[in-house]
């Protein structure tokens, strides 16, 4: 059974940085694509970024504008989300998600679907104060 555990959230001031981590277990022998999405109180889930580990290909939602960086350590089965220049609008619960990787061409077509990945963690809270 795939399990995802996020860590690294916390409280920072505007302009600060955080690095979130997501450790996966139960993925032995399979290639899993991972990504991040967030949800603020009273708002819809919002996809952030995804990564295709075999090629290290990444995709970011347009609103990121270079603010966040996703990466992956295959050996540690861990995905990361580096977040810079944080603003109060970035305050949300951040979730890691995963799915068994499809063919790369199919992944490219479905890159915006991280909020629908079948596996997700419990989330880590990020709070940015002004």
């Amino acid at each position: 059974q795939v399990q995802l555990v996020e860590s690294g959230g916390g409280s920072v001031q505007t302009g600060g940085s955080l690095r979130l981590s997501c450790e996966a277990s139960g993925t032995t022998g399979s290639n899993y694509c991972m990504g991040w999405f967030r949800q603020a109180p009273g708002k819809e889930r919002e996809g952030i970024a995804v990564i295709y580990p075999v090629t290290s290909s990444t995709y970011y939602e347009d609103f990121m504008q270079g603010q966040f960086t996703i990466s992956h350590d295959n050996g540690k089965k861990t995905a990361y989300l580096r977040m810079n220049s944080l603003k109060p609008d970035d305050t949300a619960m951040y979730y890691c998600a995963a799915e068994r990787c499809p063919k790369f061409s199919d992944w490219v077509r479905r890159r915006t679907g991280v909020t629908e990945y079948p596996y997700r963690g419990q989330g880590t809270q990020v709070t940015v104060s002004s």
Side-chain angles (χ1 to χ4, degrees), residues 97-109:
E99 67 165 3
R100 197 183 301 268
C101 284
K103 291 187 307 182
F104 182 70
S105 55
D106 291 338
W107 178 83
V108 169
R109 274 198 300 274

Side-chain angles (χ1 to χ4, degrees), residues 11-16 86-91 127-130:
S11 297
V12 296
Q13 293 188 323
T14 296
L86 286 164
K87 310 177 293 292
D89 284 350
D90 295 316
T91 295
T127 303
V128 185
S129 58
S130 57

Side-chain angles (χ1 to χ4, degrees), residues 2 24-32 77 100:
V2 175
S25 60
T27 59
T28 303
S30 297
N31 181 32
Y32 283 82
K77 295 185 179 180
R100 197 183 301 268

Side-chain angles (χ1 to χ4, degrees), residues 62-100:
D62 288 343
F63 74 90
M64 289 294 100
Q65 298 181 347
Q67 183 186 2
F68 295 175
T69 303
I70 189 171
S71 59
H72 184 264
D73 184 324
N74 285 331
K76 295 181 179 179
K77 295 185 179 180
T78 300
Y80 304 95
L81 186 68
R82 176 68 182 182
M83 307 187 296
N84 296 322
S85 304
L86 286 164
K87 310 177 293 292
D89 284 350
D90 295 316
T91 295
M93 186 72 81
Y94 283 70
Y95 297 89
C96 172
E99 67 165 3
R100 197 183 301 268

Side-chain angles (χ1 to χ4, degrees), residues 16-49:
S17 298
L18 285 172
R19 190 180 79 155
L20 307 183
S21 299
C22 172
E23 184 172 359
S25 60
T27 59
T28 303
S30 297
N31 181 32
Y32 283 82
C33 293
M34 299 178 76
W36 295 88
F37 66 92
R38 67 186 183 184
Q39 188 166 23
K43 294 189 176 181
E44 303 265 330
R45 286 181 294 183
E46 184 174 49
I48 298 172

